[in-house]
């Protein structure tokens, strides 16, 4: 799904990388961009969809040098998962609270 | 100048303790609605956004978890509305997009027409059938790839067989074909040679759908076609699992949307004649209290919501602009989900969350 741009070996040390994520769109890319921008170790993050009929997004990440770009994206993914899990828990509680509410 | 620098440092420290200065905090928190357009509509997400003020804008799960709250306003089998407070538009919009186009449902995909002498053409009828929401739980079916053979694991077969005739007393029967006329063929297709749909289990799908509603349309009263005496329709409809990304017929929601929570605030005390004038202009939003002082009512009532655009128009006048403010909380979403009926709205939202987490999970694993 995600491929780093072709380059010399040692891609894991790159601090600036464009990830081409296939079969994804604004849904994932914009969420990741939000979490990446919120990361103090990320100097720049943006994404684009090069062509509307091609199902791919290019996610550009440039870090300040403390972490690699791939590590920054991994941590954004982890943040997103954590948020989804937490929202799910709070939502369940809200639904349970609504069902327990006496009917008006 | 060293003295100036010291002063700046001191100021920076003050901000770090107290948060942002008032005007920046307001811009961060609210969309301010002007008479002709909205101001400060973007969300400030960069970690370094307020660094010069000593305020850290980096991601902080603890603060997010403490600030997040959800309140269900109404909920039924088909629709729900809830307040999602403390989330970011990136996540709220991702969930909305997933609800519309990525939560799977089951819909009619192949229609095999045996006979159709009605006035509605085969292709128009087939398209129409595809859009009928079905009460089949998508969890019971596997997705059917283009190369996969149709079987009991990925296909539900429905039959529609209606003939219109005139009784001896002149009454016309079956002149309208409604979605309740679908019959579920639990043993699979009656025309396996033509449809290439073969169920291997002789018991068919009976066991899989045990204790569930019989597969068919969610709403039995959808008009599919009209017939005259002597006309008939006989067809088989094969239903498979899919997502709204491929075709809107698989979208599990009529629509899912959110809007920001509106607020009206007083910037100064308004009383006397001015108060009476505002209360007369928008009586569901403003009230006059003791001593002729203006107060703002709850603006989430339907009556007040209808008057909010009237409040916006009042802001055309400079004298009201400095007295009242119409604004929207950037992190308070009023989220509405209208299901087509296959799944309950709260189930859809949970599935959307799971799909979003799964996207992140898959990407994380591939890096």
């Amino acid at each position: 799904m995600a491929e780093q741009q072709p380059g010399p070996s040692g891609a894991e040390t790159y601090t600036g990388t464009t990830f081409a994520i296939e079969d994804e769109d604004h849904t994932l890319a914009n969420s990741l961009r939000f979490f990446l921008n919120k990361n103090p170790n990320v100097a720049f993050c943006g994404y684009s969809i090069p062509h509307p009929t091609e199902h791919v997004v290019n996610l550009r990440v440039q870090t300040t040098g403390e972490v690699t770009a791939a590590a920054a994206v991994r941590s954004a993914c982890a943040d997103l998962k954590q948020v989804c899990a937490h929202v799910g828990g709070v939502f369940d509680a809200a639904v349970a609270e609504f069902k327990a509410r006496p009917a008006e | 100048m060293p003295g100036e620098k010291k002063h700046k440092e001191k100021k920076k420290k003050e901000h770090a303790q107290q948060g942002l200065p008032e005007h920046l905090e307001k811009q961060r928190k609210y969309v301010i609605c002007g008479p002709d357009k909205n101001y400060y509509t973007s969300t400030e997400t960069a970690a370094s956004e307020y660094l010069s003020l000593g305020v850290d804008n980096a991601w902080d799960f603890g603060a997010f978890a403490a600030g997040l709250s959800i309140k269900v306003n109404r909920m039924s089998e088909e629709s729900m509305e809830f307040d999602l407070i403390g989330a970011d538009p990136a996540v709220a919009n991702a969930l909305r997009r997933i609800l519309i186009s990525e939560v799977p449902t089951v819909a009619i995909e192949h229609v095999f027409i045996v006979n159709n002498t009605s006035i509605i053409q085969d292709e128009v009828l087939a398209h129409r059938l595809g859009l009928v929401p079905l009460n089949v739980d998508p969890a019971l079916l596997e997705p059917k790839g283009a190369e996969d053979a149709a079987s009991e694991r990925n296909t539900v077969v429905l039959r529609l067989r209606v003939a219109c005739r005139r009784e001896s007393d002149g009454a016309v029967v079956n002149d309208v074909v409604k979605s309740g006329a679908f019959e579920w063929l639990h043993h699979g297709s009656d025309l396996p040679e033509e449809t290439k749909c073969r169920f291997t289990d002789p018991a068919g799908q009976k066991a899989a759908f045990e204790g569930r509603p019989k597969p068919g349309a969610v709403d039995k009263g959808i008009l599919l076609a009209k017939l005259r005496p002597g006309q008939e329709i006989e067809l088989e409809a094969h239903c498979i699992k899919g997502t709204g990304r491929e075709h809107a017929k698989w979208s599990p929601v009529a629509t899912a949307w959110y809007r920001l929570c509106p607020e009206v605030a007083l910037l100064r005390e308004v009383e006397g004649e001015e108060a009476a004038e505002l209360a007369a202009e928008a009586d569901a939003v403003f009230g006059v209290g003791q001593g002729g002082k203006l107060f703002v009512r709850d603006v989430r009532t339907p009556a007040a919501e209808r008057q909010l655009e009237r409040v916006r128009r009042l802001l055309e006048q400079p004298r009201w602009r400095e007295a009242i403010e119409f604004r929207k909380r950037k992190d308070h979403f009023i989220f509405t989900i209208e299901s087509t009926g296959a799944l309950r709205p709260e189930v859809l939202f949970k599935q959307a969350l799971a799909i979003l987490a799964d996207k992140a999970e898959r990407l994380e694993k591939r890096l």
Side-chain angles (χ1 to χ4, degrees):
Chain A
M1 185 167 67
E3 276 167 327
Q4 290 192 318
Q5 276 198 332
S9 59
E12 258 309 296
T13 61
Y14 285 0
T15 56
T17 308
T18 303
F19 301 89
I21 311 174
E22 284 171 8
D23 280 326
E24 290 297 348
D25 54 11
H26 299 281
T27 306
L28 182 67
N30 194 32
S31 310
L32 288 178
R33 188 187 59 167
F34 168 73
F35 288 105
L36 284 161
N37 271 328
K38 280 270 190 187
N39 184 343
N41 292 325
V42 173
F44 174 80
C45 172
Y47 77 90
S48 73
I49 294 180
H51 194 278
T53 62
E54 259 185 277
H55 298 291
V56 66
V57 287
N58 289 343
L59 182 72
R60 175 71 189 175
V61 181
Q62 194 131 11
T63 69
T64 52
E66 280 85 357
V67 295
T68 63
V73 176
R74 271 197 294 272
S75 105
C77 287
D79 287 340
L80 181 56
K81 279 195 293 180
Q82 197 181 21
V83 164
C84 286
H86 184 69
V87 172
V90 175
F91 182 75
D92 281 341
V95 169
E97 187 265 335
F98 178 83
K99 284 182 177 162
R101 233 183 274 171
E104 284 154 29
Chain B
M1 269 185 293
E4 197 174 321
K5 202 176 172 191
K6 222 176 183 178
H7 178 69
K8 270 192 182 161
E9 282 294 310
K10 198 177 152 214
K11 221 170 175 191
K12 211 168 156 178
K13 265 196 189 142
E14 269 173 28
H15 284 316
Q17 279 159 8
Q18 296 159 3
L20 291 174
E22 204 183 333
H23 69 289
L24 284 181
E25 181 62 22
K26 199 186 224 179
Q27 291 173 15
R28 190 184 65 80
K29 218 170 153 184
Y30 295 104
V31 171
I32 310 289
C33 302
D36 51 350
K37 65 171 187 174
N38 294 340
Y39 299 89
Y40 314 118
T41 51
S42 59
T43 44
E44 313 303 341
T45 54
S48 57
E49 187 75 36
Y50 305 113
L51 212 57
S52 61
L53 297 168
V55 174
D56 188 12
N57 197 35
W59 177 245
D60 177 356
F61 179 74
F64 164 79
L68 183 82
S69 77
I70 295 176
K71 185 174 167 282
V72 179
N73 300 328
R74 57 180 171 78
M75 185 167 73
S76 68
E77 294 262 307
E78 287 198 328
S79 81
M80 78 182 300
E81 184 192 274
F82 59 91
D83 283 24
L84 174 65
I85 307 163
D88 190 85
V91 174
N93 191 40
L95 292 169
R96 182 193 65 84
R97 286 173 62 93
I98 291 173
L99 279 169
I100 290 171
S101 69
E102 290 185 54
V103 176
T105 62
V106 175
I108 294 170
E109 169 71 350
H110 299 289
V111 177
F112 299 93
I113 295 180
V114 177
N115 192 11
N116 174 21
T117 52
S118 76
I119 195 162
I120 181 164
Q121 299 93 327
D122 293 359
E123 65 274 26
V124 179
L125 179 63
H127 176 253
R128 201 168 165 75
L129 294 178
L131 297 171
V132 174
L134 304 178
N135 62 2
V136 182
D137 184 350
L140 296 174
L141 290 187
E142 291 170 8
K144 179 178 175 293
E147 302 289 307
D148 296 345
S151 73
E152 61 267 47
R153 288 187 307 280
N154 57 28
T155 306
V156 168
V157 182
L158 300 176
R159 182 173 63 192
L160 188 65
R161 193 161 57 178
V162 189
C164 179
R165 62 176 191 279
R166 196 186 296 276
E167 298 282 25
S168 52
D169 63 355
V172 178
V173 292
N174 286 341
D175 59 336
V176 290
V177 184
K178 291 194 170 168
S179 56
F182 281 121
E183 301 161 70
W184 175 41
L185 302 183
H186 65 85
H187 52 77
S189 175
D190 279 344
L191 321 152
E193 288 308 315
E194 286 86 352
T195 63
K196 298 196 172 54
C197 170
R198 291 182 181 84
F199 283 15
T200 47
D201 187 351
Q205 290 172 319
K206 266 250 156 91
F209 285 86
E210 188 75 52
R212 310 225 176 210
K214 219 165 92 182
V218 170
D219 196 308
K220 310 294 182 201
I222 302 170
L223 181 67
L224 300 175
K226 284 196 169 186
L227 302 177
R228 293 305 297 154
Q231 297 180 341
E232 62 175 309
I233 291 176
E234 183 178 350
L235 58 84
E236 242 178 47
H238 292 207
C239 321
I240 66 169
K241 187 163 155 175
T243 58
R245 183 145 65 151
E246 189 177 339
H247 192 289
K249 69 184 176 187
W250 278 299
S251 184
V253 291
T255 187
W257 80 92
Y258 58 74
R259 61 197 177 92
L260 297 178
C261 178
E263 260 183 43
V264 175
L266 297 181
L267 299 175
R268 62 169 171 81
E269 271 195 4
V270 181
E271 49 196 351
E273 241 172 70
E274 275 189 324
E277 199 176 330
L278 279 177
E281 196 72 47
D283 61 335
V285 176
F286 299 112
V288 180
Q290 277 186 339
K293 276 195 183 126
L294 190 76
F295 67 92
V296 181
R297 299 181 199 275
D298 175 14
V299 294
R300 290 284 298 279
T301 62
E305 296 241 25
R306 277 196 293 274
Q307 290 188 348
L308 284 176
E309 286 307 306
R310 208 181 283 178
V311 173
R312 190 197 280 272
R313 227 186 50 231
L314 286 174
L315 297 171
E316 285 167 5
Q317 303 171 39
R319 61 181 178 133
W320 296 137
R321 226 162 18 229
E322 46 86 37
I324 52 178
E325 188 169 71
F326 176 29
R327 61 198 188 189
K328 294 176 180 178
R329 271 282 293 276
K330 279 182 200 174
D331 66 345
H332 185 151
F333 301 93
I334 304 168
F335 215 107
T336 313
I337 303 172
E338 279 180 12
S339 166
T340 54
L343 293 170
R344 291 185 59 102
E346 72 270 27
V347 175
L348 292 176
F349 189 72
K350 289 287 290 189
Q351 288 193 4
L353 282 166
I355 290 170
L356 184 57
D358 182 58
K359 279 176 184 290
E361 170 85 26
R362 272 184 298 153
L363 177 61
E364 197 181 4
K365 283 219 175 106
R366 285 296 300 270
L367 285 174

